CSV table of all heavy atoms in Angstrom, one decimal:
chain,number,residue,atom,x,y,z
A,267,ILE,N,6.5,-26.8,-5.1
A,267,ILE,CA,6.2,-28.0,-4.4
A,267,ILE,C,7.0,-28.0,-3.1
A,267,ILE,O,6.4,-28.3,-2.0
A,267,ILE,CB,6.5,-29.2,-5.2
A,267,ILE,CG1,5.5,-29.3,-6.4
A,267,ILE,CG2,6.4,-30.5,-4.4
A,267,ILE,CD1,5.8,-30.4,-7.4
A,268,VAL,N,8.3,-27.8,-3.2
A,268,VAL,CA,9.2,-28.0,-2.0
A,268,VAL,C,8.8,-26.9,-1.0
A,268,VAL,O,8.8,-27.2,0.2
A,268,VAL,CB,10.7,-27.9,-2.5
A,268,VAL,CG1,11.6,-27.8,-1.2
A,268,VAL,CG2,11.0,-29.0,-3.3
A,269,GLN,N,8.7,-25.6,-1.4
A,269,GLN,CA,8.4,-24.6,-0.5
A,269,GLN,C,7.0,-24.7,0.2
A,269,GLN,O,6.9,-24.5,1.4
A,269,GLN,CB,8.5,-23.2,-1.2
A,269,GLN,CG,8.7,-22.1,-0.2
A,269,GLN,CD,10.1,-22.1,0.4
A,269,GLN,OE1,11.1,-22.4,-0.2
A,269,GLN,NE2,10.1,-21.8,1.7
A,270,THR,N,6.0,-25.2,-0.5
A,270,THR,CA,4.7,-25.4,0.0
A,270,THR,C,4.7,-26.5,1.0
A,270,THR,O,4.1,-26.4,2.1
A,270,THR,CB,3.7,-25.6,-1.1
A,270,THR,OG1,3.7,-24.5,-2.0
A,270,THR,CG2,2.3,-25.7,-0.5
A,271,THR,N,5.4,-27.6,0.6
A,271,THR,CA,5.4,-28.7,1.6
A,271,THR,C,6.2,-28.4,2.8
A,271,THR,O,5.7,-28.7,4.0
A,271,THR,CB,6.2,-29.9,0.9
A,271,THR,OG1,5.5,-30.3,-0.3
A,271,THR,CG2,6.2,-31.1,1.8
A,272,SER,N,7.3,-27.7,2.7
A,272,SER,CA,8.0,-27.2,3.9
A,272,SER,C,7.2,-26.3,4.7
A,272,SER,O,7.3,-26.3,6.0
A,272,SER,CB,9.3,-26.5,3.4
A,272,SER,OG,10.0,-25.9,4.5
A,273,GLY,N,6.4,-25.4,4.1
A,273,GLY,CA,5.5,-24.5,4.9
A,273,GLY,C,4.5,-25.3,5.7
A,273,GLY,O,4.3,-24.9,6.9
A,274,VAL,N,3.9,-26.3,5.2
A,274,VAL,CA,3.0,-27.1,6.0
A,274,VAL,C,3.7,-27.8,7.1
A,274,VAL,O,3.2,-27.8,8.3
A,274,VAL,CB,2.3,-28.2,5.1
A,274,VAL,CG1,1.4,-29.1,5.9
A,274,VAL,CG2,1.5,-27.5,4.0
A,275,HIS,N,4.9,-28.3,6.9
A,275,HIS,CA,5.6,-29.0,7.9
A,275,HIS,C,6.1,-28.1,9.0
A,275,HIS,O,6.4,-28.6,10.2
A,275,HIS,CB,6.8,-29.8,7.3
A,275,HIS,CG,6.5,-31.0,6.5
A,275,HIS,ND1,7.3,-31.6,5.7
A,275,HIS,CD2,5.3,-31.6,6.4
A,275,HIS,CE1,6.7,-32.6,5.1
A,275,HIS,NE2,5.5,-32.7,5.6
A,276,THR,N,6.3,-26.8,8.8
A,276,THR,CA,6.8,-25.9,9.8
A,276,THR,C,5.7,-25.1,10.4
A,276,THR,O,6.0,-24.1,11.2
A,276,THR,CB,7.8,-25.0,9.1
A,276,THR,OG1,7.2,-24.3,8.0
A,276,THR,CG2,9.0,-25.8,8.6
A,277,ILE,N,4.5,-25.4,10.2
A,277,ILE,CA,3.4,-24.7,10.9
A,277,ILE,C,3.5,-24.9,12.4
A,277,ILE,O,3.8,-26.0,12.9
A,277,ILE,CB,2.0,-25.2,10.4
A,277,ILE,CG1,1.8,-24.8,9.0
A,277,ILE,CG2,0.9,-24.6,11.3
A,277,ILE,CD1,0.5,-25.4,8.4
A,278,ASP,N,3.4,-23.8,13.1
A,278,ASP,CA,3.4,-23.9,14.6
A,278,ASP,C,2.3,-24.8,15.1
A,278,ASP,O,1.1,-24.6,14.8
A,278,ASP,CB,3.2,-22.5,15.2
A,278,ASP,CG,3.5,-22.4,16.7
A,278,ASP,OD1,3.4,-23.4,17.4
A,278,ASP,OD2,4.0,-21.3,17.1
A,279,ARG,N,2.7,-25.9,15.8
A,279,ARG,CA,1.8,-26.9,16.2
A,279,ARG,C,0.7,-26.3,17.2
A,279,ARG,O,-0.3,-27.0,17.4
A,279,ARG,CB,2.5,-28.1,16.9
A,279,ARG,CG,3.4,-28.8,15.9
A,279,ARG,CD,2.7,-29.4,14.7
A,279,ARG,NE,3.5,-29.7,13.6
A,279,ARG,CZ,3.1,-30.2,12.4
A,279,ARG,NH1,1.8,-30.3,12.3
A,279,ARG,NH2,3.9,-30.4,11.4
A,280,ARG,N,1.0,-25.2,17.8
A,280,ARG,CA,0.0,-24.6,18.7
A,280,ARG,C,-1.3,-24.3,17.9
A,280,ARG,O,-2.4,-24.4,18.5
A,280,ARG,CB,0.5,-23.3,19.3
A,280,ARG,CG,1.7,-23.6,20.3
A,280,ARG,CD,2.2,-22.3,20.9
A,280,ARG,NE,2.8,-21.5,19.8
A,280,ARG,CZ,3.2,-20.2,20.0
A,280,ARG,NH1,3.2,-19.7,21.2
A,280,ARG,NH2,3.8,-19.5,19.0
A,281,TYR,N,-1.2,-23.9,16.7
A,281,TYR,CA,-2.4,-23.6,15.9
A,281,TYR,C,-3.2,-24.8,15.7
A,281,TYR,O,-4.4,-24.8,15.8
A,281,TYR,CB,-2.0,-23.0,14.5
A,281,TYR,CG,-1.2,-21.7,14.6
A,281,TYR,CD1,-0.2,-21.4,13.6
A,281,TYR,CD2,-1.3,-20.8,15.6
A,281,TYR,CE1,0.5,-20.3,13.6
A,281,TYR,CE2,-0.6,-19.6,15.6
A,281,TYR,CZ,0.3,-19.4,14.7
A,281,TYR,OH,1.1,-18.2,14.7
A,282,LEU,N,-2.5,-25.9,15.4
A,282,LEU,CA,-3.3,-27.2,15.1
A,282,LEU,C,-3.9,-27.7,16.4
A,282,LEU,O,-5.0,-28.2,16.4
A,282,LEU,CB,-2.3,-28.2,14.5
A,282,LEU,CG,-1.6,-27.8,13.2
A,282,LEU,CD1,-0.7,-28.9,12.7
A,282,LEU,CD2,-2.6,-27.4,12.1
A,283,ARG,N,-3.1,-27.6,17.5
A,283,ARG,CA,-3.7,-28.1,18.8
A,283,ARG,C,-4.9,-27.3,19.2
A,283,ARG,O,-5.9,-27.8,19.7
A,283,ARG,CB,-2.6,-28.1,19.8
A,283,ARG,CG,-1.5,-29.2,19.6
A,283,ARG,CD,-0.7,-29.4,20.9
A,283,ARG,NE,0.1,-28.2,21.2
A,283,ARG,CZ,1.3,-28.1,20.8
A,283,ARG,NH1,1.9,-29.0,20.1
A,283,ARG,NH2,2.0,-27.0,21.1
A,284,ALA,N,-4.8,-26.0,19.0
A,284,ALA,CA,-5.9,-25.1,19.4
A,284,ALA,C,-7.1,-25.4,18.6
A,284,ALA,O,-8.2,-25.5,19.2
A,284,ALA,CB,-5.5,-23.6,19.2
A,285,ALA,N,-7.0,-25.6,17.3
A,285,ALA,CA,-8.1,-26.0,16.5
A,285,ALA,C,-8.7,-27.4,16.9
A,285,ALA,O,-9.9,-27.5,17.0
A,285,ALA,CB,-7.7,-26.0,15.0
A,286,ALA,N,-7.8,-28.3,17.2
A,286,ALA,CA,-8.3,-29.6,17.6
A,286,ALA,C,-9.0,-29.6,18.9
A,286,ALA,O,-10.0,-30.3,19.2
A,286,ALA,CB,-7.1,-30.6,17.7
A,287,ASN,N,-8.6,-28.7,19.8
A,287,ASN,CA,-9.3,-28.6,21.1
A,287,ASN,C,-10.7,-28.0,21.0
A,287,ASN,O,-11.6,-28.3,21.8
A,287,ASN,CB,-8.5,-27.6,22.0
A,287,ASN,CG,-7.2,-28.2,22.5
A,287,ASN,OD1,-7.0,-29.5,22.5
A,287,ASN,ND2,-6.2,-27.4,22.9
A,288,PHE,N,-10.9,-27.3,19.9
A,288,PHE,CA,-12.3,-26.8,19.7
A,288,PHE,C,-13.1,-27.8,18.8
A,288,PHE,O,-14.2,-27.4,18.4
A,288,PHE,CB,-12.2,-25.4,18.9
A,288,PHE,CG,-11.9,-24.3,19.8
A,288,PHE,CD1,-10.6,-23.8,19.9
A,288,PHE,CD2,-12.8,-23.8,20.7
A,288,PHE,CE1,-10.3,-22.7,20.7
A,288,PHE,CE2,-12.5,-22.7,21.5
A,288,PHE,CZ,-11.2,-22.2,21.5
A,289,GLY,N,-12.6,-29.0,18.6
A,289,GLY,CA,-13.3,-30.0,17.9
A,289,GLY,C,-13.4,-29.7,16.4
A,289,GLY,O,-14.4,-30.2,15.7
A,290,VAL,N,-12.5,-29.0,15.8
A,290,VAL,CA,-12.5,-28.7,14.4
A,290,VAL,C,-12.2,-29.9,13.6
A,290,VAL,O,-11.2,-30.6,13.9
A,290,VAL,CB,-11.6,-27.5,14.1
A,290,VAL,CG1,-11.5,-27.3,12.6
A,290,VAL,CG2,-12.0,-26.2,14.8
A,291,SER,N,-12.9,-30.2,12.6
A,291,SER,CA,-12.7,-31.4,11.7
A,291,SER,C,-11.4,-31.2,11.0
A,291,SER,O,-10.9,-30.1,10.8
A,291,SER,CB,-13.8,-31.6,10.8
A,291,SER,OG,-13.9,-30.6,9.8
A,292,ARG,N,-10.8,-32.3,10.5
A,292,ARG,CA,-9.6,-32.2,9.8
A,292,ARG,C,-9.7,-31.4,8.5
A,292,ARG,O,-8.8,-30.7,8.1
A,292,ARG,CB,-9.1,-33.7,9.4
A,292,ARG,CG,-7.7,-33.8,8.8
A,292,ARG,CD,-7.3,-35.2,8.8
A,292,ARG,NE,-6.0,-35.4,8.1
A,292,ARG,CZ,-4.8,-35.3,8.6
A,292,ARG,NH1,-4.7,-34.9,9.9
A,292,ARG,NH2,-3.7,-35.4,7.9
A,293,ARG,N,-10.8,-31.5,7.8
A,293,ARG,CA,-11.0,-30.8,6.6
A,293,ARG,C,-11.1,-29.3,6.8
A,293,ARG,O,-10.5,-28.5,6.1
A,293,ARG,CB,-12.3,-31.3,5.9
A,293,ARG,CG,-12.6,-30.5,4.6
A,293,ARG,CD,-13.9,-31.0,3.9
A,293,ARG,NE,-13.7,-32.4,3.5
A,293,ARG,CZ,-14.6,-33.1,2.9
A,293,ARG,NH1,-15.8,-32.6,2.6
A,293,ARG,NH2,-14.3,-34.4,2.5
A,294,VAL,N,-11.9,-28.9,7.9
A,294,VAL,CA,-12.0,-27.5,8.2
A,294,VAL,C,-10.6,-27.0,8.7
A,294,VAL,O,-10.3,-25.8,8.4
A,294,VAL,CB,-13.1,-27.3,9.2
A,294,VAL,CG1,-13.1,-25.8,9.7
A,294,VAL,CG2,-14.4,-27.7,8.7
A,295,MET,N,-9.9,-27.8,9.5
A,295,MET,CA,-8.6,-27.3,9.9
A,295,MET,C,-7.7,-27.1,8.8
A,295,MET,O,-6.9,-26.1,8.8
A,295,MET,CB,-8.0,-28.4,10.8
A,295,MET,CG,-6.7,-28.0,11.5
A,295,MET,SD,-5.9,-29.3,12.4
A,295,MET,CE,-7.2,-29.6,13.7
A,296,PHE,N,-7.7,-27.9,7.8
A,296,PHE,CA,-6.9,-27.7,6.6
A,296,PHE,C,-7.2,-26.4,5.9
A,296,PHE,O,-6.3,-25.7,5.5
A,296,PHE,CB,-7.0,-28.9,5.6
A,296,PHE,CG,-6.2,-28.8,4.4
A,296,PHE,CD1,-4.8,-29.2,4.5
A,296,PHE,CD2,-6.7,-28.5,3.2
A,296,PHE,CE1,-4.0,-29.1,3.3
A,296,PHE,CE2,-5.9,-28.4,2.1
A,296,PHE,CZ,-4.6,-28.7,2.1
A,297,ARG,N,-8.5,-26.2,5.7
A,297,ARG,CA,-8.9,-25.0,5.0
A,297,ARG,C,-8.8,-23.7,5.8
A,297,ARG,O,-8.3,-22.7,5.2
A,297,ARG,CB,-10.4,-25.2,4.6
A,297,ARG,CG,-10.9,-24.1,3.6
A,297,ARG,CD,-12.3,-24.3,3.2
A,297,ARG,NE,-13.3,-24.1,4.2
A,297,ARG,CZ,-14.0,-25.1,4.8
A,297,ARG,NH1,-13.8,-26.3,4.5
A,297,ARG,NH2,-14.8,-24.8,5.8
A,298,ARG,N,-9.0,-23.7,7.1
A,298,ARG,CA,-9.0,-22.5,7.8
A,298,ARG,C,-7.8,-22.2,8.6
A,298,ARG,O,-7.5,-21.1,9.1
A,298,ARG,CB,-10.2,-22.5,8.8
A,298,ARG,CG,-11.6,-22.7,8.2
A,298,ARG,CD,-11.9,-21.4,7.4
A,298,ARG,NE,-12.0,-20.3,8.2
A,298,ARG,CZ,-13.1,-19.9,8.8
A,298,ARG,NH1,-14.2,-20.6,8.7
A,298,ARG,NH2,-13.2,-18.8,9.6
A,299,VAL,N,-6.9,-23.2,8.8
A,299,VAL,CA,-5.7,-23.1,9.6
A,299,VAL,C,-4.5,-23.3,8.7
A,299,VAL,O,-3.6,-22.4,8.7
A,299,VAL,CB,-5.7,-24.0,10.8
A,299,VAL,CG1,-4.4,-23.9,11.6
A,299,VAL,CG2,-6.9,-23.8,11.7
A,300,VAL,N,-4.4,-24.5,8.1
A,300,VAL,CA,-3.2,-24.8,7.4
A,300,VAL,C,-2.9,-23.9,6.2
A,300,VAL,O,-1.8,-23.3,6.0
A,300,VAL,CB,-3.3,-26.3,6.9
A,300,VAL,CG1,-2.1,-26.6,6.0
A,300,VAL,CG2,-3.3,-27.2,8.1
A,301,ILE,N,-3.9,-23.7,5.3
A,301,ILE,CA,-3.7,-22.9,4.1
A,301,ILE,C,-3.3,-21.4,4.5
A,301,ILE,O,-2.3,-20.9,3.9
A,301,ILE,CB,-4.9,-22.9,3.2
A,301,ILE,CG1,-5.1,-24.3,2.6
A,301,ILE,CG2,-4.8,-21.9,2.1
A,301,ILE,CD1,-6.3,-24.5,1.7
A,302,PRO,N,-4.1,-20.7,5.4
A,302,PRO,CA,-3.6,-19.4,5.7
A,302,PRO,C,-2.2,-19.4,6.3
A,302,PRO,O,-1.4,-18.4,6.1
A,302,PRO,CB,-4.6,-18.9,6.8
A,302,PRO,CG,-5.9,-19.7,6.5
A,302,PRO,CD,-5.3,-21.1,6.0
A,303,ALA,N,-1.9,-20.4,7.1
A,303,ALA,CA,-0.5,-20.4,7.8
A,303,ALA,C,0.6,-20.6,6.8
A,303,ALA,O,1.7,-20.1,7.0
A,303,ALA,CB,-0.5,-21.5,8.9
A,304,VAL,N,0.3,-21.3,5.7
A,304,VAL,CA,1.3,-21.7,4.7
A,304,VAL,C,1.5,-20.6,3.6
A,304,VAL,O,2.4,-20.7,2.8
A,304,VAL,CB,1.1,-23.1,4.2
A,304,VAL,CG1,0.1,-23.1,3.0
A,304,VAL,CG2,2.4,-23.7,3.7
A,305,LEU,N,0.6,-19.7,3.5
A,305,LEU,CA,0.6,-18.7,2.4
A,305,LEU,C,1.9,-18.0,2.3
A,305,LEU,O,2.4,-17.7,1.2
A,305,LEU,CB,-0.6,-17.7,2.6
A,305,LEU,CG,-2.0,-18.2,2.1
A,305,LEU,CD1,-3.0,-17.1,2.4
A,305,LEU,CD2,-1.9,-18.5,0.6
A,306,PRO,N,2.5,-17.5,3.4
A,306,PRO,CA,3.8,-16.8,3.3
A,306,PRO,C,4.9,-17.7,2.6
A,306,PRO,O,5.7,-17.2,1.8
A,306,PRO,CB,4.2,-16.5,4.7
A,306,PRO,CG,2.9,-16.4,5.4
A,306,PRO,CD,2.0,-17.5,4.8
A,307,GLU,N,4.9,-19.0,2.9
A,307,GLU,CA,5.9,-19.9,2.3
A,307,GLU,C,5.5,-20.1,0.8
A,307,GLU,O,6.4,-20.2,0.0
A,307,GLU,CB,5.9,-21.2,3.0
A,307,GLU,CG,6.3,-21.2,4.4
A,307,GLU,CD,7.7,-20.7,4.6
A,307,GLU,OE1,8.5,-20.9,3.7
A,307,GLU,OE2,8.0,-20.1,5.6
A,308,ILE,N,4.3,-20.1,0.5
A,308,ILE,CA,3.9,-20.2,-0.9
A,308,ILE,C,4.4,-19.0,-1.7
A,308,ILE,O,4.9,-19.2,-2.9
A,308,ILE,CB,2.3,-20.4,-1.1
A,308,ILE,CG1,1.9,-21.7,-0.5
A,308,ILE,CG2,1.9,-20.3,-2.5
A,308,ILE,CD1,0.4,-21.9,-0.5
A,309,ILE,N,4.3,-17.9,-1.1
A,309,ILE,CA,4.7,-16.7,-1.8
A,309,ILE,C,6.2,-16.7,-2.1
A,309,ILE,O,6.7,-16.3,-3.1
A,309,ILE,CB,4.3,-15.4,-1.1
A,309,ILE,CG1,2.8,-15.2,-1.1
A,309,ILE,CG2,5.0,-14.1,-1.6
A,309,ILE,CD1,2.2,-14.1,-0.3
A,310,ILE,N,7.0,-17.2,-1.1
A,310,ILE,CA,8.4,-17.4,-1.3
A,310,ILE,C,8.7,-18.3,-2.4
A,310,ILE,O,9.6,-18.1,-3.3
A,310,ILE,CB,9.1,-17.9,0.0
A,310,ILE,CG1,9.0,-16.8,1.1
A,310,ILE,CG2,10.5,-18.3,-0.2
A,310,ILE,CD1,9.4,-17.3,2.5
């Protein structure tokens, strides 16, 4: 729980801003940006 939560909080905001600029919905952003970005922290 702690490592996954921390992983989401430490995602580089450039990824989220880039997705938002392309009009990506929050649900799609979570599935296509957040989850892949946080996978290394989940493995830790």
Side-chain angles (χ1 to χ4, degrees):
I267 292 173
V268 171
Q269 200 67 41
T270 304
T271 303
S272 175
V274 177
H275 287 166
T276 56
I277 293 175
D278 193 329
R279 295 300 162 183
R280 292 177 297 176
Y281 301 148
L282 303 180
R283 287 195 295 267
N287 289 338
F288 283 102
V290 175
S291 68
R292 188 172 174 83
R293 178 177 297 180
V294 173
M295 184 185 299
F296 180 79
R297 187 176 70 251
R298 300 294 297 274
V299 178
V300 173
I301 293 179
V304 82
L305 280 177
E307 298 296 331
I308 292 176
I309 293 174
I310 293 174

